[in-house]
């Protein structure tokens, strides 16, 4: 059929958009050898979310980190998006390893933190969100996991600084289709601890330096499980984080 000039211009414009999408398809693909090759990260303002607010400890920002190899990830609750807070979160996630590069958007605080840690920083293409989909996808997955876990555990929304790291750690110890978890691939052995749901009622022995129990009470007390103890490098330190269930009267 014969098309008008305007129709031809519209077809050219639409096809140009399609070619642009095809051009950036897979733009984030990189060759990675191990978890240290490339790490992508991004901030998410939790204080601006409708369902959230300032979390425990006054934290307002979530910092999501993920390795492109096997998807080993981390989550840090920070007070703000300063370079210092970003650097501390990155350093705790990395541990003492030598990282190839950090890939992120044009956030200056991430760039400055990478420079301070002596890590190469690569910027995603400005204005092309397809080139930073890995970090954005990880942010969305973190938010969904936090919502689901807080709802099913019956925890208030202000506990997201505890739920976020738990969700990331639970993802790391989950077995993949090849029978190996990201945690096991990084540290050479599977997670040795017990897999416990967030917010589960547990019986545990409180730390004697922090909890002075009455001598007539049993050593094991009822509490709520709130996550795993995480050492630098995001390796389990062998402890479980629990909070007493009893209510203290003033």
């Amino acid at each position: 059929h014969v098309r008008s000039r305007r129709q031809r211009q519209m077809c050219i414009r639409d096809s140009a958009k399609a070619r642009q999408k095809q051009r950036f398809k897979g733009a984030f693909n990189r060759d990675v050898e191990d978890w240290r090759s490339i790490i992508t990260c991004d901030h998410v303002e939790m204080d601006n979310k409708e369902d959230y607010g300032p979390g425990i400890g006054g934290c307002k920002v979530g910092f999501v980190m993920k390795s492109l190899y096997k998807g080993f990830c981390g989550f840090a609750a920070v007070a703000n998006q300063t370079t210092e807070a970003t650097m501390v979160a990155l350093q705790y996630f990395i541990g003492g390893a030598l990282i190839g590069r950090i890939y992120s958007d044009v956030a200056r605080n991430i760039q400055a933190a990478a420079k301070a840690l002596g890590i190469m920083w690569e910027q995603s293409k400005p204005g092309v969100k397809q080139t930073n989909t890995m970090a954005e996808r990880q942010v969305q997955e973190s938010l969904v996991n936090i919502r689901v876990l807080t709802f099913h555990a019956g925890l208030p929304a202000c506990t997201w600084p505890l739920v976020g790291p738990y969700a990331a750690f639970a993802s790391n110890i989950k077995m993949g289709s090849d029978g190996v978890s990201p945690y096991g691939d990084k540290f050479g052995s599977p997670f040795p601890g017990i897999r416990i749901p967030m917010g589960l009622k547990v019986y545990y022995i409180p730390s004697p330096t922090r909890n002075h129990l009455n001598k007539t009470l049993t050593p094991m007390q009822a509490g709520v499980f709130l996550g795993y103890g995480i050492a630098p490098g995001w390796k389990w330190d062998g402890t479980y984080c629990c909070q007493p269930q009893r209510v203290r009267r003033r």
Side-chain angles (χ1 to χ4, degrees), residues 23-83:
R23 175 185 176 186
F24 292 109
K25 183 179 180 180
F28 198 66
N29 291 336
R30 296 290 188 278
D31 295 330
V32 292
E33 298 178 355
D34 55 26
W35 75 272
R36 299 169 296 180
S37 299
I38 303 178
I39 291 178
T40 181
C41 51
D42 200 2
H43 290 95
V44 53
E45 286 281 354
M46 302 297 292
D47 194 20
N48 294 334
K49 301 298 178 182
E50 182 179 355
D51 299 333
Y52 302 101
I56 296 176
C59 298
K60 299 181 179 180
V61 180
F63 187 54
V64 178
M65 300 153 286
K66 183 177 183 179
S67 170
L68 295 192
Y69 186 81
K70 297 290 186 177
F72 190 88
C73 60
F75 183 96
V78 295
N80 47 53
Q81 299 188 30
T82 60
T83 300

Side-chain angles (χ1 to χ4, degrees), residues 208-222:
T209 59
R210 300 184 60 182
N211 297 275
H212 301 282
L213 300 177
N214 192 301
K215 294 182 179 181
T216 60
L217 298 177
T218 60
M220 298 190 69
Q221 300 296 315

Side-chain angles (χ1 to χ4, degrees), residues 2-3 17 38 41 57 87 89 92 111 120 129 144 175 181 184 195 201 210 219 223 229 237 239 246-247 249-250:
V2 180
R3 299 180 180 179
K17 288 184 177 180
I38 303 178
C41 51
M87 182 178 65
Y92 203 87
Q111 180 184 5
M120 181 187 301
K129 62 181 181 180
V144 171
M175 292 295 180
S181 65
R195 292 170 172 83
K201 180 180 179 180
R210 300 184 60 182
D237 64 2
T239 63
R246 67 181 184 275
V247 179
R249 297 181 179 178
R250 296 183 179 180

